[in-house]
Amino acid sequence: MKVLVTYSSLTGNTQKVAEGIYEGIQAEVKDIKPMKEVTELDSYDVVLAGYWVDKGGPNEEAKKFLERLEGKKVGIFATLGYWPDTEHGWNSLMNGEEVVKEKNQVIAKYICQGKLNDSIIARFEKLPADNPHAITEEKRRRYAVAKNHPSEADIAHAAELFCERLSTNV
Ligand SMILES: Cc1cc2nc3c(=O)[nH]c(=O)nc-3n(C[C@H](O)[C@H](O)[C@H](O)COP(=O)(O)O)c2cc1C
């Protein structure tokens, strides 16, 4: 079994999860690469693809990558700024699955929170109160929590999940 772990990551959160998954899985051959460096897919049986959530789904680069997949066992993982255990969180993961599920077999999926970039928070801080992205106390507290993610526990959980599912999908 040959496994590719690949990711699209602007600020490193999704990359951290990808690296944890790569370390945690067992396969005859395993590779890890950012999506932009993946030229060849034919030789892989399994592709574990990670993205950062943009507008409630896979970011553009990841969406294009996921559309390329055909006939693979696919695992999907993602990081997002909002709470993962909400409709928005779950839909953000399902919207990635939606892209691949017709032409591939989805074997596992995982989503966790990821720190919001400080420059984005600084931009939000300057917005007028009636702007939907304006900072509120609730958001400030949420961003403070997000700073701790992906945590060691998030990464360990993702690694365990994909390791287990690979072992049952040989
Ligand atoms: C342009 C932009 C759009 C985003 N859209 C969402 C979103 O719709 N929902 C959400 O929960 N987080 C959103 N986020 C937060 C990121 O998904 C989150 O911080 C993620 O962990 C970043 O991952 P990365 O470090 O791998 O780039 C957005 C961030 C950016 C920069």
Side-chain angles (χ1 to χ4, degrees), residues 65-84:
F65 177 85
L66 292 171
E67 284 167 353
R68 285 170 59 194
L69 298 178
E70 217 172 315
K72 306 289 183 199
K73 291 182 177 178
V74 176
I76 294 172
F77 57 97
T79 67
L80 85 171
Y82 200 58
W83 307 121

Side-chain angles (χ1 to χ4, degrees), residues 82-98:
Y82 200 58
W83 307 121
D85 57 330
T86 57
E87 198 173 354
H88 178 71
W90 191 243
N91 286 342
S92 298
L93 193 56
M94 295 302 287
N95 287 337
E97 177 171 28
E98 201 58 41

Side-chain angles (χ1 to χ4, degrees), residues 7-16 51-57 59 78-83 88-89 92 112-117 120 123-124 133 142 146 149-150:
Y7 56 88
S8 175
S9 183
L10 270 186
T11 59
N13 298 331
T14 315
Q15 181 174 352
K16 274 190 206 159
Y51 57 84
W52 58 275
V53 170
D54 184 5
K55 298 190 259 335
N59 67 78
T79 67
L80 85 171
Y82 200 58
W83 307 121
H88 178 71
S92 298
C112 68
Q113 218 175 2
K115 176 184 188 296
L116 207 64
N117 190 268
I120 295 177
R123 229 188 301 147
F124 289 168
H133 291 298
R142 174 154 44 85
H149 294 273

